[in-house]
Structure formats: structure tokens, C-alpha cells
Amino acid sequence: MALTGEDGDAEVKIPWTGFDLINAFNAWKKSEDAGRRFVVDVSGAAKLEATGLAWRTEVSAQVFEEAVVDLGKALKAWTASRRGKRAGRVVGHPRFKKKNVERGSFRMRNKVSKTKTGERATIRLGENGPRSVTLPGIGAIRVHDDTRRLRRMLASGRARVLFATVSRRGGRWRISLNVQAADVHPAARHKPRGKADHAGWAGVDRGLHVPVVAAGADGSEVLRVATAPKALRSAQPVTRRLQKSVSRKAKGSASRRAAVRRLARHHERVRARRHHFLHQVSNALVKTHDRLVIEDLNITGMLANHRLAAAISDAAWGELARQVTYKQSWRGGQVLIADRWFPSSKTCSGCGDVNQALTLANRVFHCEHCGLALDRDLNAAVNLAAWGEQHYLSQVLDPEARGQVTNAHRREGSGRRARADETSPDDVGTLTASAA
Ligand SMILES: [Zn+2]
């Protein structure tokens, strides 16, 4: 299509917006290029007839439209990246999804139309019992979870559904609803702090033996998650057994496919358990503290020693950081990402002396300078909290200072959420309905 033009002259304007692409696609899907079939007439002579995309009527048009919107975005990011007009990582050319490799998914918009009796949305909840979601072109689907909480919010105008994404992972279909919701109830939000107030930071350390330790700058431990859930620890032998089972089966055989499905389902279960655990930890952190300091992911990656099974993998740490950041923004708190070169483990939280000789085997931090002896992870968490306080001070005094603060105090009218009413604390949560 228009893709070839963009490679050459940058001055040539190519229609790459979602709108142009959908028009191009709509023309293509009915054309001969999209599909032909043999038609045999009465005399027995066969000829080719243009059918277009044969299955196009089985799929809601929105599925195509949303895919094209994504393609438009991806192409735009790619060209911007190539011309150096885009910050961040280099963006590659969009690739086709592979049927057996990528996670299958599609997205639908929620269209709301006015009727005589009120409004009617194309994505509806609870139409066929409390555990159901109605999607355009598909109809009412039974889902695993009760949709009552969200229905209550929708009915009172405190939320509206923007998109539904249907995806398949580990042999299960799931529907994720993208919802625009009102602000969290003031009772569940942190009290705003004055700009000069630099105190109250809590450092969150990810330990190799202890998953999470959080502490204040004064040395007080505020949270310690001593061990990862047993469900996560016991998953490893099962993973190994199922992997072996796959590798023993002949390639391309039906039994291998079944073994692959079993392994995928197992991975999915472990993933769900891990997410549940991370939600518990992130909730505990954001409920009790309005100011958190988290380590940059890279430093933890650097320290990772493969001979030691990390209680939380890098991926889980990234997920925890993501959860803490968005949950904190809902509550009007702040999250600070510590400089990746900050030696949180090797610094003495008492006197600031850096002990380069500290190894991973040292469970207790001993300071040769001031004689402090403190649990290794607690020491690191205290250092992070102190770093947050210092960093905040230097930022207020010198706004040019480096560092990344997620200041979650939302300005009036900013963000994507409507202010129809306040969301009650009870409404806060991530709702993912998985198909039964
Ligand atoms: Zn010391």
C-alpha cells in the first residue's frame, strides 16, 4: 500500500493516519486481492470470482478499525524515531503478528448512542446474568467474575467503558475493560503536602532473600515481606516437569500440542499468583505511605546473580514499580525512582560510608567506619528513603536536578478520568473479567 512511499522522499506526504488506513483497508477487503474463489457455471467451465475477505462479515468492523488505529500509531512512531523526532528507544517497523507466537487479541470501542429511553452502549455488562459481558458482533458472553462493582459505577455515572480488549493467553480468553472513572474518594487519598515538606519518604528495597523491605529515613522498618508465597516457590518443579514432558514428545504431534497447552496453562496460573502477590504488596505500600522511593530496574538487573534464585525476578520488580506508580497516582501520592548508580546496599545508613567490600553473602551490613550493624535489606531501604528526602530537597532548591518524580497530584481537568463523581475506596481495583 502506501508503505513504500515513506522510505524515499521525506517531503512526500503519505496518508498514514488511522482514518486513511481504514479507508484503504475497507477498499482492499472487498477487492480481488483479498480473496477469490472458483465458480463453476452450468457448462462446467470454472472461472475466478472476486469474493474479498471471505470471513469479514463474521468479525465486527471495529476489530479491523482498532487494529488499523494501532498500525497508524506504530508507523508514526517508527517514522518519528527514524527521523530522530522521538525520544526514547529506537522504534522498529511494525511486524505482522505470528499466529502461534504472539498473544492473540483484538479490541473494540464502546459506542454510546442516544435512544428514546436513554443511552445505549455497544459494550454492556450484566445483560445475561451478573457474570456476563456483551460485545458488539459477538453478543453476551459468560465471564468468570461478577461485574457488579463496575455495573454500579456505570449506573451512577461514575465510570464509563471506553474499550474492551479480548485476548487469549494460556488457553483462556479474557476481556479487559478500559474504563474512565471518577477520582478516588478523598478518604482514600493521601493528604497533600506542602512544597517545602521534604520528609516522609519510605524506601523500598528488593532483596535477594527477602522479597520486599520498606523503611523510613529514620531507620524504622515499615514493611517486610519475608517470603514469596509458597504457591510461587512450589511452581518451579512443576514447570520443569511440564517442560520435560513437552521436549519428550515428537515435534508436530498432537500429544506435543497438548503438552504445550498444559505448560502454557501452568505458566498462566503462576503469573496470576505472582500478580496477586504483587498487588498485595503494592496495596500495602500505597495505603500506608504517600511518598515512596523505588530502585531503578537496571541496578537490580546489574546485581542479579543467576546462581541465587531471586525471590522476585526483574520482570516482577518492574511490575511492582508499575503498580505502585499508578496506584500512588490514584491516591495523590508520590513515587521517586532512585538513580541507578546509587549504591543503596553498600552505603552505611548511619554515617554514609561506602563499603565496597560488601558481597551478596553478607546478610548483615557491618560498617567499618561507625560500627553500625544492620540487616542488609533494611539498610538499603533506609538509604533509599534518605536519598528520596535529599533528592526532593535538591529538586525544590534546584529544579534542574536530574531524577524522575511522579508527582501524582492531578491538576484540575487533567488526565483521562471524568469528574462525574468521586470513586469510592471500594471501587478502587483492577477489574479483569476472564471468560468462563
Ligand atoms: Zn557507618
Side-chain angles (χ1 to χ4, degrees):
M1 283 199 289
L3 300 187
T4 41
E6 194 73 17
D7 289 329
D9 193 356
E11 296 303 306
V12 180
K13 280 268 178 288
I14 306 292
W16 268 16
T17 62
F19 186 76
D20 294 319
L21 286 167
I22 191 69
N23 285 337
F25 178 79
N26 282 341
W28 174 83
K29 74 180 180 187
K30 292 170 194 159
S31 74
E32 198 169 283
D33 292 342
R36 284 178 292 184
R37 67 171 176 194
F38 272 109
V39 182
V40 183
D41 61 21
V42 205
S43 63
K47 64 174 175 101
L48 276 172
E49 184 191 83
T51 57
L53 211 55
W55 42 271
R56 67 176 189 265
T57 51
E58 293 169 29
V59 182
S60 167
Q62 282 195 38
V63 173
F64 300 118
E65 288 166 20
E66 291 302 312
V68 163
V69 167
D70 289 346
L71 174 62
K73 275 186 198 157
L75 288 169
K76 201 179 163 196
W78 174 62
T79 40
S81 180
R82 252 174 22 133
R83 291 172 188 161
K85 288 176 186 167
R86 192 177 195 276
R89 256 182 2 184
V90 175
V91 177
H93 190 270
R95 290 167 297 134
F96 282 107
K97 270 191 172 183
K98 282 204 175 75
K99 191 178 173 184
N100 292 317
V101 179
E102 258 90 10
R103 187 173 68 115
S105 76
F106 61 89
R107 193 172 69 223
M108 288 164 155
R109 256 188 337 276
N110 187 26
K111 289 179 182 166
V112 182
S113 51
K114 292 251 188 302
T115 61
K116 280 173 194 162
T117 49
E119 286 181 338
R120 187 173 170 80
T122 50
I123 296 171
R124 300 182 293 275
L125 300 174
E127 213 166 47
N128 187 19
R131 292 163 197 270
S132 77
V133 175
T134 308
L135 296 177
I138 296 173
I141 311 162
R142 264 163 43 78
V143 292
H144 179 271
D145 298 324
D146 196 331
T147 57
R148 183 173 55 95
R149 204 199 244 178
L150 184 54
R151 270 185 285 129
R152 210 172 54 199
M153 287 182 74
L154 293 173
S156 61
R158 286 178 296 138
R160 67 196 175 91
V161 176
L162 300 178
F163 296 101
T165 305
V166 181
S167 58
R168 196 161 99 121
R169 200 205 289 258
R172 274 174 195 270
W173 290 95
R174 60 169 69 220
I175 305 169
S176 302
L177 296 172
N178 185 320
V179 177
Q180 188 173 49
D183 278 357
V184 172
H185 192 277
R189 290 169 70 90
H190 296 299
K191 283 191 184 66
R193 286 177 186 263
K195 207 180 178 202
D197 183 2
H198 61 274
W201 292 95
V204 184
D205 177 66
R206 164 241 184 158
L208 287 169
H209 294 271
V210 176
V212 174
V213 173
D218 58 352
S220 59
E221 186 174 299
V222 293
L223 179 83
R224 175 174 288 255
V225 182
T227 49
K230 203 174 161 218
L232 286 180
R233 281 179 287 146
S234 62
Q236 198 56 38
V238 181
T239 311
R240 215 169 295 128
R241 179 168 59 78
L242 290 172
Q243 269 164 350
K244 271 185 195 159
S245 163
V246 170
S247 58
R248 273 198 301 264
K249 309 277 190 296
K251 277 189 180 152
S253 68
S255 56
R256 190 184 174 102
R257 276 196 299 279
V260 166
R261 271 200 300 276
R262 272 196 296 278
L263 178 62
R265 270 204 302 276
H266 169 72
H267 277 311
E268 194 50 34
R269 267 198 299 275
V270 175
R271 186 180 170 275
R273 285 172 191 160
R274 192 190 303 117
H275 273 233
H276 180 73
F277 168 60
L278 293 174
H279 275 296
Q280 284 178 322
V281 174
S282 59
N283 281 340
L285 287 169
V286 300
K287 275 182 186 168
T288 48
H289 290 85
D290 62 337
R291 287 180 157 179
L292 294 168
V293 184
I294 321 176
E295 267 177 304
D296 194 333
L297 188 62
N298 292 327
I299 190 161
T300 56
M302 241 166 44
L303 289 172
N305 183 333
H306 288 292
R307 281 170 300 165
L308 293 163
I312 292 190
S313 71
D314 287 332
W317 181 252
E319 172 63 17
L320 184 72
R322 189 189 72 84
Q323 288 181 7
V324 161
T325 307
Y326 82 73
K327 287 178 184 181
Q328 200 65 298
S329 82
W330 284 357
R331 289 173 180 270
Q334 290 169 305
V335 177
L336 200 54
I337 310 292
D339 193 302
R340 73 170 72 166
W341 307 116
F342 177 63
S344 62
S345 303
K346 293 184 174 177
T347 306
C348 171
S349 62
C351 66
D353 193 48
V354 177
N355 179 2
Q356 290 293 356
L358 188 84
T359 65
L360 287 171
N362 300 127
R363 296 308 311 144
V364 177
F365 181 92
H366 285 285
C367 180
E368 286 165 4
H369 194 251
C370 71
L372 176 98
L374 195 63
D375 174 81
R376 175 206 179 88
D377 300 320
L378 177 60
N379 181 60
V382 174
N383 281 330
L384 285 167
W387 182 89
E389 207 168 304
Q390 279 306 312
H391 188 81
Y392 186 81
L393 263 178
S394 67
Q395 264 215 334
V396 174
L397 297 174
D398 175 19
E400 300 285 298
R402 290 192 308 122
Q404 197 186 340
V405 184
T406 309
N407 196 337
H409 294 293
R410 200 129 39 80
R411 289 147 299 166
E412 195 68 40
S414 75
R416 307 212 326 163
R417 274 173 277 156
R419 290 178 160 267
D421 197 348
E422 301 286 351
T423 303
S424 83
D426 194 35
D427 291 326
V428 177
T430 311
L431 191 101
T432 311
S434 39

